[in-house]
Amino acid sequence: MQEAVHAAVTALIDETGREGLTVPQVAARAGVTPSTIYRRWTDMATLMRDVAQRNLRVDCPLKPCGRLSVDLPAWAEMYQEEMDSTPGRAMMRDVLRGWDGTQKACSLFDAVRPTIVSICDAAGEPVTFDADAVIDAVVAPVLTRILFTDGPLPAALARDAAAAFVARHASGG
Amino acid sequence: MQEAVHAAVTALIDETGREGLTVPQVAARAGVTPSTIYRRWTDMATLMRDVAQRNLRVDCPLKPCGRLSVDLPAWAEMYQEEMDSTPGRAMMRDVLRGWDGTQKACSLFDAVRPTIVSICDAAGEPVTFDADAVIDAVVAPVLTRILFTDGPLPAALARDAAAAFVARHASGG
DNA sequence: CTGCTAAAGCAAATAATTTGCTTTTAATGA
DNA sequence: TCATTAAAAGCAAATTATTTGCTTTAGCAG
């Protein structure tokens, strides 16, 4: 049933957009009664957050070459493009609508950490930092700028941040 | 009228919390009709976002001593405490609920920039970076961790980030 | 097979939202 | 000053969403 409702939400979102979307609409499309949805999710916001979290895998389709000064900026650029895109922003919107201010809005960091770790593992150099440092240095600026500035991000933002990060951890860092 | 409604929202929030809050409740408290509120704000979420943005001044009650390695970490620590507090998180919650995914959720950056600039202006040293670099380095990690990790932040997070930032811009940076 | 529990349906009751129309308010110009 | 008018607010009916009590179904254990 959860499946049918999730599918209905996804279908309705790209047919009519996420703006007018209501619980009764989703229920009708999924072939269930509204009360079923209300009892399981309480809210349209909660339901959309749930759906958004399913589509939360950020893979690394890039083959690391083993040099951090190449691999990390390359990944950063791809990550930024992914998050600053229409679907990326929509995912963040849905996820943040359900945020209650206390617990984490979603496990976004857990989704990127493995990719960062795998890049570091593939590096033919000693790694002097951990994944969370990379998150602070490149993921954080991307996400906050998406939320708190207007218009698309500077194209090189994440790439440059990653390059600078690697540079300062390579030499004297 | 806007005044009365804003006041009603603020009052009701700390009497009954923000969770159950409805437009008709606010209307009754403010002495207006619900339709007035719906026409002006469309949503409870939009209204709460509007109210949250009024309380958006982050002042710097600290007297800069003129050394960036002291002033910037001191400010960063205070900023983190402010944002990671219950009211700080509540403000972010309210502001992000109204976010549509395209335009900025609120002018959070414009609220901190002047403070950062004034600290830099008070510095008895040449400043080799701009305010946005500070935002990326210290504000961004604080905000993203509030949103995407559980529990309170490491107490020294922003302070250390600011100190490291100043350090790398002082010597070889 | 029978009883039990959790989930879903159904429909009535309640509450929120929208809407058309009327009234007030405040500003403007004769 | 007083009419004129446009924007904002009130009011109430209509619509829509949400909640709730109760019934039904499906899956599972004895």
Side-chain angles (χ1 to χ4, degrees):
Chain A
M1 196 275 313
Q2 187 159 316
E3 303 301 321
V5 172
H6 278 193
V9 170
T10 305
L12 285 171
I13 278 179
D14 66 38
E15 279 173 27
T16 59
R18 43 191 14 93
E19 219 41 69
L21 207 55
T22 67
V23 171
Q25 275 176 343
V26 174
R29 179 62 163 265
V32 301
T33 50
S35 62
T36 300
I37 294 180
Y38 285 120
R39 280 199 249 253
R40 195 159 202 2
W41 286 280
T42 71
D43 245 3
M44 193 63 214
T46 307
L47 171 54
M48 285 177 74
R49 177 171 169 227
D50 199 27
V51 173
Q53 283 177 318
R54 293 229 159 286
N55 313 10
L56 227 222
R57 301 271 155 248
V58 177
D59 306 317
C60 183
L62 300 160
K63 294 225 164 75
C65 75
R67 294 176 57 204
L68 288 177
S69 62
V70 172
D71 293 337
L72 223 45
W75 162 78
E77 182 166 14
M78 196 207 64
Y79 180 77
Q80 172 178 334
E81 264 167 32
E82 189 133 336
M83 295 306 284
D84 196 26
S85 67
T86 304
R89 282 168 171 266
M91 183 270 281
M92 286 197 48
R93 193 207 89 137
D94 292 347
V95 140
L96 290 174
R97 288 239 162 142
W99 188 49
D100 68 346
T102 58
Q103 289 154 320
K104 67 184 176 190
C106 78
S107 49
L108 211 45
F109 288 178
D110 296 336
V112 273
R113 228 188 307 263
T115 303
I116 297 170
V117 167
S118 79
I119 289 173
C120 292
D121 286 348
E125 334 159 20
V127 175
T128 61
F129 52 83
D130 64 351
D132 286 325
V134 178
I135 291 176
D136 283 344
V138 352
V139 172
V142 168
L143 299 184
T144 51
R145 281 169 183 249
I146 287 173
L147 294 175
F148 300 115
T149 67
D150 275 325
L153 271 41
L157 175 70
R159 208 179 59 73
D160 289 353
F165 177 86
V166 172
R168 71 173 171 266
H169 280 271
S171 51
Chain B
M1 196 274 313
Q2 187 160 316
E3 303 300 321
V5 173
H6 277 193
V9 170
T10 305
L12 285 171
I13 277 178
D14 65 39
E15 280 172 27
T16 58
R18 43 191 13 92
E19 219 43 67
L21 207 55
T22 67
V23 170
Q25 277 176 341
V26 173
R29 178 62 162 265
V32 301
T33 48
S35 62
T36 300
I37 294 180
Y38 285 120
R39 280 200 248 250
R40 195 159 201 4
W41 286 280
T42 69
D43 246 1
M44 193 62 214
T46 308
L47 172 53
M48 287 177 74
R49 177 171 168 226
D50 199 28
V51 173
Q53 284 177 317
R54 292 228 160 285
N55 313 10
L56 226 221
R57 301 272 155 251
V58 177
D59 305 319
C60 183
L62 300 159
K63 295 227 164 74
C65 74
R67 292 177 57 203
L68 287 176
S69 63
V70 172
D71 292 337
L72 223 45
W75 162 78
E77 182 166 15
M78 196 206 66
Y79 181 77
Q80 174 178 333
E81 264 166 30
E82 189 134 335
M83 295 305 285
D84 196 26
S85 67
T86 304
R89 281 168 171 265
M91 184 270 280
M92 285 196 48
R93 193 207 89 135
D94 292 347
V95 140
L96 290 175
R97 288 235 164 147
W99 187 50
D100 69 345
T102 57
Q103 287 155 321
K104 66 184 175 189
C106 78
S107 51
L108 210 45
F109 288 178
D110 295 336
V112 275
R113 229 188 306 262
T115 304
I116 296 171
V117 168
S118 79
I119 289 172
C120 292
D121 286 348
E125 335 160 19
V127 175
T128 61
F129 51 82
D130 65 351
D132 285 325
V134 178
I135 290 177
D136 282 346
V138 352
V139 172
V142 167
L143 298 184
T144 51
R145 280 169 185 248
I146 287 173
L147 293 175
F148 300 114
T149 67
D150 276 324
L153 270 42
L157 174 69
R159 208 178 58 73
D160 289 354
F165 177 85
V166 172
R168 73 174 169 264
H169 281 271
S171 51

